[in-house]
Amino acid sequence: MRQVAHGDKEAFSVLYDALAPLVFGIVLKVVRDRAQSEEVAQEVMIDLWRQAARYRPDSGSVTTWAATIAHRRAVDRVRSAQASADRERAQAAREHRTAFDEVAEQVETRLDSEQVRRCLGGLTELQRQVVTMAYYQGLTYREVAEVLHAPLPTVKTRMRDGLIRLRDCMGVTT
């Protein structure tokens, strides 16, 4: 390793021949894709060349050092690939929009409005007044009672009866 650290290409060639199969095997077990494993193993071997001066014999063997670098680099590749896939899925989810058919929406709204008008026409006059004041004018039951000069319980009863008839007419199921 001292010779590799001093730029000895012949020493690196020997080191490469000795460690490349081990490095590739470790990377392949983590990455599981042969092409990517070859690429990562090549990057590890280049790291060994560049970082040879960092090797400390008292910390472990060259084989252990190379294996550690290989494993870390392989895990980084897997994490990077996962993060990239996650980003792509998140971007696709953000870009996905349900197609909005404005014409169909207008037609449906118009049909609903016509059905409500028709069903309102089927209510008694008192029921229609109470429902209209409460829902279209936003009045409370008490305010409706005051406007119609009717007792509050009567207004509540007319509202309940009117809403039941509207529900039945509109075909709403509960």
Side-chain angles (χ1 to χ4, degrees):
M1 280 306 288
R2 270 187 242 117
Q3 291 172 322
V4 173
H6 291 296
D8 185 338
K9 292 180 183 175
E10 194 64 36
F12 180 70
S13 179
V14 171
L15 180 74
Y16 189 97
D17 291 343
L19 294 179
L22 170 76
V23 167
F24 179 72
I26 290 169
V27 172
L28 184 60
K29 283 183 181 179
V30 175
V31 176
R32 296 183 181 196
D33 176 74
R34 189 166 190 83
Q36 283 192 34
S37 296
E38 289 171 357
E39 189 177 308
V40 173
Q42 188 67 30
E43 291 170 4
V44 169
M45 296 310 294
I46 292 170
D47 280 350
L48 293 178
W49 168 259
R50 291 181 181 158
Q51 297 178 23
R54 289 183 170 176
Y55 171 69
R56 300 288 173 248
D58 54 331
S59 297
S61 69
V62 174
T63 304
T64 303
W65 184 59
T68 301
I69 292 172
H71 185 264
R72 287 180 182 161
R73 185 64 82 114
V75 168
D76 287 347
R77 175 63 64 98
V78 170
R79 286 179 180 159
S80 175
Q82 183 62 46
S84 178
D86 290 347
R87 280 191 304 274
E88 287 176 13
R89 276 193 295 278
Q91 181 65 28
R94 283 191 299 271
E95 290 175 356
H96 177 73
R97 291 187 174 88
T98 304
F100 178 73
D101 187 348
E102 191 174 328
V103 174
E105 185 71 24
Q106 288 175 354
V107 168
E108 189 174 326
T109 301
R110 185 171 293 132
L111 290 173
D112 287 346
S113 296
E114 288 173 10
Q115 186 176 10
V116 169
R117 276 191 225 103
R118 183 178 51 77
C119 290
L120 276 172
L123 300 180
T124 67
E125 184 60 32
L126 275 175
Q127 290 171 339
R128 187 173 30 263
Q129 283 180 325
V130 171
V131 170
T132 302
M133 288 179 170
Y135 283 91
Y136 293 113
Q137 296 174 12
L139 300 179
T140 65
Y141 289 171
R142 187 172 308 283
E143 291 170 334
V144 171
E146 289 173 9
V147 169
L148 295 177
H149 305 293
L152 183 58
T154 302
V155 168
K156 288 182 178 181
T157 301
R158 298 292 180 248
M159 177 66 76
R160 181 181 51 86
D161 293 345
L163 291 177
I164 289 171
R165 288 181 71 178
L166 280 175
R167 181 194 66 201
D168 293 344
C169 179
M170 300 281 296
V172 176
T173 58
T174 55

